Amino acid sequence: MDPEEQTSDLYGIIQSVVHVEWLSTALTVAIALAFTALVARAVTKVLRRVLSHDNSPLPSSSIFVNIARIVVGAVGVSVVLSSCFGIDVSAAITALGIGGIAISLGFQDTLSNLIGGMQVTFMGIIKPGDNIEVGGVSGVVQDITWRHTTIEDACGQTIIVPNSNISKNTLVH
């Protein structure tokens, strides 16, 4: 067999593998998800930098970073589902909206903590570094996440307080 025939056979094998539809779909999904991860990382870095400045109107709590990361991820997954698999994302979002009522009943405590965390953060009630007392617990606020606020007491112990408790109970600043 001469080199030209070997090259032609190799080219035929490569063509048969590359033109397989699942391979191109998998490659597209991998590229889209990698791009989504890069965008999420860039948004995270920018938000952390913006929120860490002293003149920022918002505190440097991780709730904003986590929400932004979730939004970027949801958009990336929506693009993948729509472009690669032909799924109508608007119909899925509508179905999730209707199913959201049932889900919200199941996640009532989690949603209460999320909304409580957003409330205390957006209103500037507390921010990392504040010395607070809530529900008989006192200490310095370390971080405010989507579910809880981390407080370090005078003994150096880490105390986790659900955000709903902070928004419902009396808070001493």
Side-chain angles (χ1 to χ4, degrees):
M1 198 181 271
D2 67 9
E4 191 172 303
E5 285 179 17
Q6 287 177 342
T7 306
S8 175
D9 289 343
L10 180 62
Y11 181 73
I13 292 170
I14 291 173
Q15 286 292 96
S16 67
V17 171
V18 171
H19 286 296
V20 174
E21 187 172 326
W22 67 266
L23 184 62
S24 63
T25 301
L27 185 61
T28 304
V29 167
I31 291 171
L33 291 179
F35 181 73
T36 301
L38 286 173
V39 170
R41 186 175 211 165
V43 167
T44 299
K45 283 185 179 183
V46 168
L47 271 177
R48 287 188 197 275
R49 185 171 299 169
V50 167
L51 293 174
S52 68
H53 288 289
D54 289 338
N55 60 357
S56 174
L58 299 173
S60 63
S61 54
S62 63
I63 191 169
F64 299 114
V65 174
N66 291 335
I67 290 172
R69 193 179 300 148
I70 289 169
V71 168
V72 170
V75 169
V77 168
S78 297
V79 168
V80 167
L81 290 175
S82 178
S83 64
C84 295
F85 300 110
I87 295 174
D88 185 14
V89 177
S90 61
I93 290 172
T94 303
L96 286 174
I98 293 169
I101 295 170
I103 292 171
S104 66
L105 292 174
F107 288 110
Q108 188 172 1
D109 289 338
T110 302
L111 291 173
S112 175
N113 287 325
L114 174 65
I115 292 169
M118 290 173 57
Q119 177 186 11
V120 298
T121 303
F122 283 133
M123 293 179 68
I125 296 172
I126 61 172
K127 57 186 175 293
D130 286 351
N131 194 357
I132 66 167
E133 181 179 346
V134 61
V137 175
S138 63
V140 178
V141 175
Q142 299 300 312
D143 192 17
I144 304 167
T145 66
W146 64 277
R147 184 150 170 79
H148 62 269
T149 298
T150 307
I151 300 172
E152 186 175 319
D153 68 1
C155 298
Q157 297 175 331
T158 301
I159 302 167
I160 307 295
V161 179
N163 289 331
S164 60
N165 288 355
I166 294 174
S167 62
K168 290 178 186 175
N169 294 326
T170 303
L171 176 74
V172 178
H173 211 278

